Amino acid sequence: MRLCATCALFGLLFLSVFDLSECLQMKVRPDRGSNVTVSTGLPMDQCAVCTVSGVNDTQTSCHSSLSLVPEKEVTLLFKCSQPLDQAYTVIVTRTIECTKDTCSPTTVEIQPSILTEFARTFTWEFKAPEKTAVSVNILGDGLMETSQPCTNGFQFSVATSKANSKDQTRYCRGGSVTRLDLLNEAVMSLQVNPKAQVESVLFQVSAGPLKGRTMVITIDSSTTVVVSRDPVEPACDVCSVDGPTPNCSPTEKTLTNVEKLSLEFSCQNPQDMYRVKIRKKIECTTSSCTPSAGEADPNLFKDFNRSLIWHISVPEKTVLSLDFPDNGLKEISGAENCQDGYQYSVSTTKSDRNIRTNRYCKSGTVSDLDFLGATAVTVEVPRGGDLTAFGVRAAPRGGRTMSVTPDPNTIVIISRVTSVPDCSVCVNAPPNQKCNSKSLKITDPRSTLVEFTCPRPQDIFSVEINRQIDCTATSCSGNIVQAESTLFPDFNRTFTWDLKVVSTRTFQLDFPETGMQQIPKEKTCPNEHTYSVITYLRTGPGVIGTFCKGGPVTTILARYKGRVSLLVPANRKLDPVDFKLDVGPETSMLAIVKVNLPRGLSDTDFFIANYPDDFPDNQQMQWDFTVPVMHNYTMRFREQTAPVCLHNAVEVAYQKEDKKVTKLTLTDRQPEHQQGNFSMVLKNCETNKTHQGLTLKYTVSVMRSGHPVLCTVDLTKWQGVSLQIQKVVSDPFCEMSINSKVSEKINVSAGTKASLSFLDCRNEEVQLTASEVIGCQNVASCSMTLLTVPQLDSCLPMSLSSFTWHFSVPEDITVDLMSPTGSFQQSLPGQECNQDVSLNVAEEDGVSLGDFCFNGIIQKVQVHTNVSVTATARDFSKTSGPFLNASFSQHITETIIYTVSPMEASPNLLATPSWPQGMRPLTTVSWIVSLPSQYQAEIQFVNVSQPKCGEYHTDISVKMLGSGEEMISRREDEQMVDKLVVPQSFYLNMSNCLPDEGQFGVVTKVVLQKTFIPLPMILGILGAILLLLIVLGVVCFIRRKKKQKMSKESMFISKGDIFRPSDRHFIKTQSDNDSHIYTSVDETMVYSHLLVDSGYTDGMQDLNRGIQVDSYQTFTGPTKLPAVDETNAEPEMDQYRMFLDPSDTFIPSRPRTPIERQDSLGFQDSRMVDNELYTFKSTGEINTIQLSSFNLEPQPPITEESL
C-alpha cells in the first residue's frame, strides 16, 4: 500500500479530473468464492476507484463502482476529494449452498485483511431446498437483537430474503442468541467500521429437515381465534393436533372453545407469516353489559400481530358508552397511522343499516365515547404488545325534549348536518309522535313539544329560523330585526328573512353608523355573526355579498325578491345589527351598494355579486362611494376574469356628481388620485357558458390630500392669558402640532408665541379653552378687576369653548365677586339657568362651588380661598362687556359669604356650596339676607342632608341683623324645624363638621311676606311721640337753668387710645369689672328717671351693643379710665369656633346708625348750655370742639351701603 507521496506520480494524469486532496494505492486479491465490490456514491469528478496496470503502472482505468475477480490480484488506486474512509464502501458477498442435511462450506471464514481502510459489509446468501432449515451457530460471544447501531463497530443483520432486505432483524455482540434458524434465500450480513479487526472464523452452518413451531393454547367459548396468512408468503402449514391425525391447513385455522390444544406450524417463525384475529362478544341490556370490560388473554399469541375485535350488541333506544381511562384516545383520519402500532377502530351500525367507522390512536383527549346501535371495537396490537382493557356501559337513551314556541309568521326548520350518530327529531308525544331522522319543520306559533332521540342533538342538527316579510309599494309588514331569540341557543342557527316587494321596486337595507364590511363568502366574521344578502333573479339566486359588522357599507338595495341571512354558531349570544328595511326606488340594477369610505389611509376590498362564481349575464351592479373631504381615492382591480361575450361587452362606467359618465373596460387604467364622491357601474354581457365568466375583486384606496391649517398665536399682548387645545374625540386622523411637534394636547403658555398646525381636524373634534391668572398680594395695591375675554387670534379654526380666570391671593385676602348687571343667581333644580352665558365658580383644587348666571338674588359672593371662574358661552363673539367685577377685601373667617336680596315674585332658593355634593369638612358659609321695608321672610329648609360626624358638629343658625340673639340653631343630631318666620334682615349661617360618613348639604327656600302695622301699635307710636314732646320741654327748662354751670364742666379724654363702648377689650366678666359704672357723669346729669317707660329706651338698644350697662351712677369728678389690655385683644373662646358675632368680623352690624363726629367722645358741641339736660343754648349749624389730641382723617361720606 502506498500513500499520497507515491500516488503523486500519477497526478499529472488526473489534474484535469480530480482534486488531489487524498489518494491511496494498494494491491488486493479476493479469496476464492468471495465477490468483492468497491464503490463510491460521489460523482466521478470527485471520487473514483481505478485499476492500475501496464509498464511502470502507467495505465489506469477508473470507475465509480468496481467488482473484483476472486483469486486475482489487482492494483487499485483510490483518488477522492473527500476523506477516503467515508467516500468508499466495500461489499464482500459469499453464497452458502445447502442440501437437506449439509451445507458447503460448513465453517464460514472471511478475509479479514481485505480493504481494511474502508467500511466493509460481509454478506452471506443461503441456498437450501424447500422444507430445509439452515442453522447458523454463532462462535464466540452470542448476539443480542437491537434496533440501534452497535457501539463496537460490528453489526449483524438477518433478512428472510434478498428482496426483503428492508425488513430485517439487527443484532449486536454480547447477547444470548447463539443460533439462528434460516430458510432458503435468507441473507445474513456483518457491517464493519473502517480499520476494525475482524476474526477470520465467525460461525458454522448446518442443514436439516425444517422443524416447525408447536404451541399449546386454551380458548374459551366466548372467544373465536382465526390464524391466517397470505398465500403468497413461503409455505407454512398450521395443524391442530386433537387426536391421532393432525388437522392441517396451509393458510388459515379457526379455533374456539378449546383447552390445551396443541397447534403446530411447519415453519420456524410462524409469527412472521401469520396474523391472529381474536373475536369476542359483549351483550348489553338497557342498563348494563356482560362482560363490563373489553379485555382478552394477554398471552394468547402475544408474539404475533393481533387484531382483537369485540362485537357489542345493545337494545333499541340504548346508549353504549366506552371508557378509555389510560391516557385516552386521539382520532385520526383514514390516511394516518399510529406510530406505536396500536390502532383502535370503532364501527357503529345505524338505524338505516349504514356503518360508520372512526379510527383512533393512543394518548389523546378522548376518554369517553357514546354510540347508538350495534358497535364493533377493533384493536390492532403489535408483536409483543400488551393490551389495555376498556370499560363498557349501557344506559337508556337519554334524548332531549324541549318546548318550542315560534314567533308569529316564523318558520323553524331543523335539519341534519352530519350523518352520525343515529338520531331523529320528533314532534308531539306518543302515540301521535312523528319522527324524522333528516329534517323537521315547525310552523305552528303555539307551543310545540320537540324531542330528539340522542343526548346531544346540537352536534347533529342545525336550526333555521325563517320569517316571511311581504312589502307593499310603500311600507313593510314588520321589522327585519327581531329581538334576541331564545330558541335553540346551543345549536348552530341561521336566521333568514325572505323579502318581497312589487316587481318594479327594490328592497332597501339601511345599516347603522357602524356600517358593514364585505368579506369573501367562504370566510366568517370575527364576532361569529356572518350576514349574507341574496337577490332572486330569473336565472337563479345572486349573492350580493357576505358582510360583517363594522365597515363602510351603509345601504344595500336589491330588486324584487331577496333574502337576508345571519349565521350564528352554537352557544353564541345573538347580537344582531340593528338595520332597517324599507321599500326603495325603481332601478334597473341588480343591486346598489352605498359606501362611506373612511377617513385617513385605508384600503377597502369589494366583490361583485356571486364572487368567486360568475356574475349574472346582462346584469348591472352599482356602487355609490362617498369620499371624505380633502381625500384622494384610487381604484385597483385585483383579481378578475373576463368572459367570452356573445353580445355586447363588459363595461365599467364612472360618474361624479353632476358630471359626464366615463366608460372603461376591465383592462383600462382605472381612476387614480381623484377627489369627490362618485359612482361605479359594472355591466356584464351575454356570455359563452362554456368559458369562464365575469369575476372581479377590486380595492378602493383612500389617502389624505388636505393641507394643514396654520395659525400663529401671540399671547404677549395679554398678561397672564394662556391657551389650551385638546381633542374631545379619539380621531387618529386629526393631527395637531405646536412649533412643528405633533401633540395630542396643545398648551400655549402665557406671554409666549406659538406656531400651530391642524391637519384634518374638524371643529367638533377639538376644543379650545383659555385661561387668565389674576394675582393680588395685598388689598391696598389691588384694584377692582373686570373679568373680560380678550379677542383671540382670528386664525384659530375653532371657536372658544370656555374662558377661566384663576385668582391667586394670600390667605388674608378675600375675593369679592359681583355681577356687572347688578346681581346673579345660582343654578339649582327649579331655579335653572337657561341663558347663553353660564359661570362656574370653583376652588383652586377644582371642586365646584356652584354654577351661576346673570340677574338673580345674589348681589355679591365673597370667597376666602383661591378660586377660579369659568365662563361658558354658546358664542363668545356675540357676548360683550365684562362677565364679573372682581375686587379684593380683608380676611373673613367664613369660607364663603353670599349677600342676597330676595325677590318678591317667586320663592328664592339658597344652596350650600358644591350642591348637590356636600360641603367640605370644617368649612362655613353665610348668607346676609336683606329684606325690603315692610317685608318679613319665611325660611323653609326643603332639602337637608346630614352626615355622621366624627369630630365637632354641623350647625344651622339664623340671626337677625343687629341682634346678638340666635333665632334658631340646630346640630346634626337635633330635630330641624320645618319653617321659620324672620321679621327683618338676617344672617343664615351653616358650618360642617369632620364627617365619618355621609355629607352635609342644605337647600333653603326663602319666601317674602308683606307685613301690616296693627292699630294698637299705631296708637302706641302716637303716644310715644307725645311723651317725647313733653320730655323735650322739660329738658329745655332744665338746660336754661344750668347754663352757667355747664360752661365750667368738660369731659376728660386722655391722649392715646380712647375708651370706646364697642371695643369690648375687657379681661374680666361683668361681675368683676366696672362696666356698669360711668366715670364722668355728674349727679346733676342723672335724668334717666325722666325717660322711664318711654319708647326711646327701646330705640337705644342697638346703640348700646358695645359695653354692658346696668344704670347710671353719680360721680363727683373724673375717674381714671379702665386700662385696655392690648395683649389680649380678643375675647376668650373655645378651641373650635364656628362663627363670630357679626360685630367681630368685617361685617358691620345691621341695621346700625352711623357715628358722626358730633356723636363721638372726642368732640363736644359748643352750643350746649350748662343745665340738667344739656340743652342747646342756641340754634344753628353744629359747632364741634375737638377734645382729643389725635389728628383725625377727613370724615368719609355717608353712603347707602353704610346704612
Side-chain angles (χ1 to χ4, degrees):
M1 178 178 68
R2 289 179 293 177
L3 300 177
C4 290
T6 307
C7 297
L9 297 174
F10 301 95
L12 295 176
L13 300 175
F14 303 101
L15 284 176
S16 62
V17 181
F18 299 108
D19 180 5
L20 300 179
S21 58
E22 289 197 24
C23 63
L24 178 65
Q25 180 176 320
M26 62 177 63
K27 291 185 178 181
V28 180
R29 184 178 185 277
D31 287 345
R32 181 180 179 183
S34 297
N35 296 321
V36 179
T37 302
V38 182
S39 62
T40 178
L42 298 176
M44 277 283 292
D45 58 349
Q46 297 183 24
C47 268
V49 54
C50 307
T51 58
V52 180
S53 60
V55 179
N56 296 326
D57 295 338
T58 57
Q59 296 181 2
T60 60
S61 176
C62 298
H63 311 274
S64 294
S65 177
L66 181 64
S67 296
L68 306 181
V69 179
E71 299 184 297
K72 181 179 179 181
E73 185 176 81
V74 63
T75 301
L76 300 180
L77 174 64
F78 299 92
K79 298 185 64 61
C80 189
S81 61
Q82 302 295 328
L84 297 179
D85 57 349
Q86 301 176 12
Y88 296 94
T89 58
V90 177
I91 300 177
V92 181
T93 305
R94 297 195 65 176
T95 301
I96 299 178
E97 299 285 348
C98 298
T99 63
K100 291 184 178 182
D101 53 8
T102 186
C103 293
S104 177
T106 58
T107 300
V108 178
E109 297 180 357
I110 63 173
Q111 187 177 356
S113 59
I114 190 171
L115 299 172
T116 57
E117 298 297 324
F118 307 100
R120 295 166 291 170
T121 301
F122 297 93
T123 302
W124 297 272
E125 298 178 358
F126 297 91
K127 303 293 184 181
E130 290 186 2
K131 297 184 181 181
T132 300
V134 178
S135 297
V136 179
N137 297 309
I138 309 300
L139 302 179
D141 294 338
L143 301 181
M144 173 180 59
E145 187 173 350
T146 183
S147 59
Q148 303 297 326
C150 301
T151 57
N152 60 358
F154 296 89
Q155 182 157 345
F156 293 85
S157 59
V158 176
T160 56
S161 64
K162 188 176 182 180
N164 197 22
S165 59
K166 293 183 179 180
D167 186 13
Q168 58 184 358
T169 305
R170 297 180 179 180
Y171 300 90
C172 294
R173 286 284 193 178
S176 59
V177 179
T178 59
R179 175 177 172 177
L180 298 174
D181 292 327
L182 307 177
L183 300 177
N184 180 36
E185 297 184 354
V187 177
M188 184 173 178
S189 301
L190 170 62
Q191 295 180 359
V192 182
N193 289 343
K195 300 180 181 180
Q197 298 296 324
V198 186
E199 298 177 0
S200 59
V201 179
L202 296 176
F203 50 85
Q204 293 178 341
V205 182
S206 62
L210 180 61
K211 294 181 180 180
R213 178 181 172 185
T214 302
M215 302 174 61
V216 177
I217 59 175
T218 298
I219 303 173
D220 59 39
S221 59
S222 64
T223 305
T224 301
V225 178
V226 178
V227 183
S228 61
R229 69 175 181 87
D230 189 347
V232 180
E233 294 287 337
C236 181
D237 296 342
V238 55
C239 303
S240 58
V241 182
D242 189 14
T245 304
N247 184 4
C248 297
S249 173
T251 57
E252 184 178 292
K253 176 67 72 173
T254 300
L255 305 171
T256 184
N257 195 21
V258 295
E259 185 175 357
K260 295 182 180 180
L261 176 67
S262 179
L263 194 65
E264 295 182 355
F265 295 91
S266 62
C267 55
Q268 288 288 328
N269 298 305
Q271 65 272 19
D272 297 336
M273 303 179 185
Y274 281 88
R275 292 188 59 85
V276 177
K277 290 184 178 180
I278 303 175
R279 299 180 183 272
K280 298 182 71 68
K281 292 183 180 180
I282 298 177
E283 300 287 342
C284 295
T285 64
T286 57
S287 60
S288 63
C289 295
T290 305
S292 60
E295 54 188 358
D297 184 356
N299 296 318
L300 186 61
F301 295 99
K302 185 173 183 179
D303 54 347
F304 286 73
N305 288 320
R306 293 174 292 173
S307 296
L308 293 95
I309 305 170
W310 288 267
H311 295 278
I312 308 172
S313 61
V314 294
E316 291 185 0
K317 296 185 178 181
T318 301
V319 179
L320 174 66
S321 298
L322 305 179
D323 300 324
F324 300 90
D326 294 340
N327 298 325
L329 302 179
K330 176 180 66 175
E331 188 170 2
I332 61 174
S333 63
E336 293 181 273
N337 292 314
C338 301
Q339 298 296 327
D340 57 1
Y342 287 90
Q343 181 172 294
Y344 292 76
S345 299
V346 182
S347 300
T348 304
T349 303
K350 302 193 303 179
S351 58
D352 57 3
R353 301 304 176 187
N354 292 324
I355 298 177
R356 168 80 177 189
T357 301
N358 298 82
R359 301 170 63 243
Y360 305 88
C361 292
K362 296 176 68 174
S363 301
T365 59
V366 179
S367 60
D368 183 83
L369 295 173
D370 294 332
F371 301 95
L372 301 175
T375 302
V377 179
T378 302
V379 182
E380 303 289 344
V381 183
R383 291 181 187 176
D386 294 324
L387 176 65
T388 302
F390 58 89
V392 183
R393 294 180 288 107
R397 177 182 295 180
R400 184 175 171 187
T401 302
M402 63 184 67
S403 179
V404 177
T405 305
D407 294 334
N409 303 320
T410 301
I411 302 173
V412 177
I413 304 171
I414 305 172
S415 304
R416 176 184 283 270
V417 293
T418 179
S419 58
V420 293
D422 191 12
C423 187
S424 298
V425 55
C426 308
V427 293
N428 303 325
N432 299 321
Q433 190 175 60
K434 296 181 180 180
C435 299
N436 193 306
S437 62
K438 294 183 179 180
S439 65
L440 180 69
K441 181 183 292 187
I442 303 174
T443 58
D444 193 345
R446 295 174 298 181
S447 178
T448 302
L449 185 65
V450 178
E451 180 183 1
F452 295 94
T453 61
C454 52
R456 292 186 56 83
Q458 63 269 29
D459 299 336
I460 306 168
F461 293 93
S462 66
V463 177
E464 177 185 346
I465 302 175
N466 175 265
R467 187 176 183 188
Q468 306 283 336
I469 300 180
D470 189 4
C471 298
T472 64
T474 57
S475 64
C476 292
S477 60
N479 292 329
I480 187 170
V481 180
Q482 67 182 46
E484 179 180 348
S485 175
T486 58
L487 300 178
F488 305 95
D490 54 347
F491 285 72
N492 290 330
R493 293 156 291 164
T494 302
F495 296 88
T496 58
W497 296 269
D498 288 327
L499 314 175
K500 181 180 179 181
V501 297
V502 294
S503 59
T504 58
R505 304 293 291 272
T506 59
F507 61 86
Q508 178 173 323
L509 305 175
D510 293 315
F511 301 100
E513 293 182 359
T514 54
M516 305 294 283
Q517 176 68 54
Q518 188 174 10
I519 62 172
K521 68 178 183 179
E522 68 274 6
K523 300 292 185 180
T524 57
C525 297
N527 66 349
E528 297 183 315
H529 282 57
T530 305
Y531 294 82
S532 297
V533 181
I534 299 174
T535 182
Y536 295 107
L537 307 173
R538 293 183 178 179
T539 57
V543 180
I544 296 176
T546 303
F547 301 91
C548 299
K549 180 179 181 180
V553 177
T554 60
T555 302
I556 297 176
L557 296 91
R559 283 203 314 251
Y560 185 35
K561 293 176 64 176
R563 166 175 281 199
V564 178
S565 65
L566 167 60
L567 180 62
V568 183
N571 299 311
R572 183 72 174 183
K573 182 179 180 181
L574 181 63
D575 183 22
V577 172
D578 185 20
F579 57 89
K580 305 298 181 183
L581 170 66
D582 202 353
V583 176
E586 296 184 6
T587 182
S588 61
M589 302 292 167
L590 177 149
I592 300 175
V593 180
K594 296 185 178 182
V595 182
N596 283 342
L597 294 172
R599 298 177 61 205
L601 183 65
S602 66
D603 292 318
T604 308
D605 294 333
F606 296 92
F607 310 87
I608 66 173
N610 285 348
Y611 184 89
D613 298 326
D614 298 342
F615 189 79
D617 285 8
N618 297 318
Q619 294 291 338
Q620 302 178 77
M621 187 170 178
Q622 178 176 327
W623 291 265
D624 294 335
F625 294 97
T626 301
V627 182
V629 294
M630 296 185 294
H631 282 69
N632 289 349
Y633 68 86
T634 297
M635 301 291 295
R636 292 187 177 90
F637 287 0
R638 297 292 190 185
E639 300 174 8
Q640 59 180 343
T641 59
V644 176
C645 293
L646 300 177
H647 295 91
N648 301 323
V650 176
E651 185 178 88
V652 183
Y654 295 93
Q655 184 177 18
K656 292 187 177 181
E657 296 176 343
D658 301 328
K659 293 186 179 180
K660 66 178 182 179
V661 178
T662 302
K663 296 183 179 180
L664 303 173
T665 66
L666 291 176
T667 57
D668 289 339
R669 187 171 183 176
Q670 306 303 313
E672 296 181 352
H673 305 295
Q674 301 290 318
Q675 289 188 349
N677 303 334
F678 71 100
S679 296
M680 185 189 86
V681 177
L682 175 66
K683 181 179 180 181
N684 197 11
C685 62
E686 182 181 345
T687 65
N688 187 337
K689 299 298 184 182
T690 61
H691 295 80
Q692 174 71 50
L694 172 62
T695 64
L696 175 62
K697 171 186 175 182
Y698 66 93
T699 300
V700 182
S701 299
V702 177
M703 64 194 71
R704 293 191 293 184
S705 61
H707 299 286
V709 177
L710 304 178
C711 181
T712 299
V713 176
D714 184 5
L715 298 183
T716 60
K717 298 176 288 184
W718 303 289
Q719 182 178 359
V721 176
S722 60
L723 292 185
Q724 302 82 35
I725 304 175
Q726 63 181 0
K727 297 181 182 179
V728 293
V729 295
S730 179
D731 185 357
F733 309 114
C734 171
E735 184 178 284
M736 304 189 306
S737 62
I738 176 171
N739 298 327
S740 302
K741 182 179 179 181
V742 177
S743 177
E744 291 292 314
K745 184 176 181 180
I746 292 178
N747 289 298
V748 183
S749 301
T752 63
K753 293 183 179 180
S755 297
L756 308 183
S757 173
F758 305 93
L759 178 61
D760 288 350
C761 295
R762 294 177 289 189
N763 289 345
E764 61 270 18
E765 296 177 345
V766 292
Q767 183 183 68
L768 168 63
T769 59
S771 61
E772 180 181 356
V773 178
I774 301 175
C776 177
Q777 297 304 317
N778 58 77
V779 176
S781 63
C782 299
S783 60
M784 185 179 67
T785 302
L786 300 179
L787 304 188
T788 58
V789 176
Q791 185 69 33
L792 301 178
D793 295 275
S794 59
C795 60
L796 288 169
M798 69 291 295
S799 59
L800 181 64
S801 175
S802 65
F803 194 95
T804 302
W805 294 270
H806 297 279
F807 290 90
S808 177
V809 297
E811 293 184 357
D812 59 347
I813 292 181
T814 300
V815 180
D816 299 346
L817 302 175
M818 292 170 288
S819 171
T821 63
S823 64
F824 48 92
Q825 75 172 30
Q826 185 175 1
S827 181
L828 296 171
Q831 187 178 281
E832 291 84 1
C833 290
N834 296 317
Q835 302 177 9
D836 292 340
V837 178
S838 65
L839 302 172
N840 176 266
V841 180
E843 298 185 67
E844 59 182 340
D845 58 358
V847 176
S848 174
L849 297 177
D851 294 319
F852 302 87
C853 55
F854 300 122
N855 302 324
I857 65 173
I858 302 176
Q859 306 300 318
K860 180 167 62 174
V861 179
Q862 296 174 280
V863 185
H864 179 216
T865 181
N866 288 333
V867 295
S868 65
V869 178
T870 300
T872 303
R874 296 178 183 175
D875 189 353
F876 277 96
S877 63
K878 296 181 180 179
T879 60
S880 60
F883 289 89
L884 284 178
N885 298 339
S887 59
F888 306 94
S889 59
Q890 295 295 342
H891 167 80
I892 62 173
T893 58
E894 290 81 359
T895 305
I896 182 169
I897 298 176
Y898 297 95
T899 302
V900 179
S901 295
M903 296 182 179
E904 305 176 19
S906 61
N908 304 272
L909 298 180
L910 308 176
T912 52
S914 305
W915 177 267
Q917 283 74 35
M919 289 177 57
R920 283 180 176 271
L922 303 179
T923 57
T924 62
V925 60
S926 294
W927 289 268
I928 304 175
V929 183
S930 299
L931 303 183
S933 177
Q934 298 183 1
Y935 277 89
Q936 65 182 7
E938 180 184 86
I939 302 176
Q940 302 176 20
F941 300 97
V942 295
N943 194 332
V944 180
S945 174
Q946 292 281 12
K948 179 181 179 181
C949 292
E951 295 184 26
Y952 311 112
H953 298 279
T954 65
D955 183 75
I956 301 175
S957 63
V958 177
K959 183 188 301 183
M960 289 190 298
L961 266 67
S963 173
E965 180 182 357
E966 293 181 340
M967 298 185 65
I968 182 177
S969 178
R970 293 290 188 273
R971 306 191 319 186
E972 80 282 355
D973 53 359
E974 296 176 340
Q975 181 67 34
M976 193 64 193
V977 298
D978 294 334
K979 294 182 180 179
L980 178 67
V981 176
V982 183
Q984 64 180 52
S985 300
F986 61 92
Y987 296 100
L988 174 60
N989 302 323
M990 298 184 189
S991 63
N992 195 9
C993 64
L994 187 63
D996 281 341
E997 60 182 46
Q999 57 186 12
F1000 178 59
V1002 181
V1003 175
T1004 307
K1005 181 190 293 186
V1006 178
V1007 180
L1008 294 183
Q1009 298 176 346
K1010 187 79 172 179
T1011 59
F1012 300 94
I1013 302 177
L1015 181 59
M1017 183 176 293
I1018 296 176
L1019 296 176
I1021 293 175
L1022 293 176
I1025 294 175
L1026 179 60
L1027 179 61
L1028 180 60
L1029 292 176
I1030 296 173
V1031 171
L1032 289 176
V1034 174
V1035 169
C1036 292
F1037 175 78
I1038 298 174
R1039 182 74 173 175
R1040 284 193 297 269
K1041 184 178 179 180
K1042 298 295 183 179
K1043 172 176 152 181
Q1044 295 299 325
K1045 188 174 182 178
M1046 182 62 189
S1047 60
K1048 299 177 183 181
E1049 298 284 340
S1050 64
M1051 296 182 69
F1052 172 75
I1053 304 297
S1054 64
K1055 184 178 181 180
D1057 293 338
I1058 64 173
F1059 173 77
R1060 301 178 187 272
S1062 62
D1063 283 346
R1064 299 182 65 186
H1065 292 323
F1066 288 103
I1067 59 175
K1068 298 181 181 180
T1069 62
Q1070 181 176 1
S1071 60
D1072 298 328
N1073 63 28
D1074 297 328
S1075 62
H1076 55 289
I1077 300 174
Y1078 277 88
T1079 61
S1080 60
V1081 179
D1082 190 79
E1083 67 275 3
T1084 60
M1085 298 180 63
V1086 178
Y1087 54 87
S1088 60
H1089 62 282
L1090 300 177
L1091 302 176
V1092 174
D1093 297 329
S1094 70
Y1096 184 74
T1097 57
D1098 295 334
M1100 294 294 293
Q1101 290 178 3
D1102 289 341
L1103 298 177
N1104 297 329
R1105 291 175 53 85
I1107 63 173
Q1108 300 146 334
V1109 178
D1110 290 341
S1111 63
Y1112 294 99
Q1113 294 186 7
T1114 304
F1115 289 86
T1116 58
T1119 304
K1120 183 179 180 180
L1121 295 174
V1124 178
D1125 187 359
E1126 295 293 342
T1127 62
N1128 189 12
E1130 299 295 332
E1132 297 177 0
M1133 59 187 69
D1134 297 332
Q1135 179 184 359
Y1136 173 65
R1137 182 179 181 193
M1138 294 178 289
F1139 289 95
L1140 295 175
D1141 188 274
S1143 63
D1144 295 329
T1145 70
F1146 79 101
I1147 308 170
S1149 300
R1150 303 174 187 269
R1152 174 172 297 213
T1153 303
I1155 300 177
E1156 301 185 28
R1157 290 182 176 180
Q1158 64 270 19
D1159 299 322
S1160 69
L1161 297 178
F1163 291 87
Q1164 178 173 322
D1165 192 344
S1166 62
R1167 297 176 302 166
M1168 298 182 67
V1169 298
D1170 186 14
N1171 56 25
E1172 182 178 359
L1173 295 180
Y1174 285 133
T1175 57
F1176 292 99
K1177 63 184 178 180
S1178 64
T1179 61
E1181 297 296 330
I1182 298 175
N1183 184 14
T1184 57
I1185 302 173
Q1186 183 174 354
L1187 302 179
S1188 172
S1189 61
F1190 282 150
N1191 293 324
L1192 301 181
E1193 296 179 358
Q1195 179 177 359
I1198 300 176
T1199 63
E1200 182 181 356
E1201 186 178 16
S1202 66
L1203 298 177

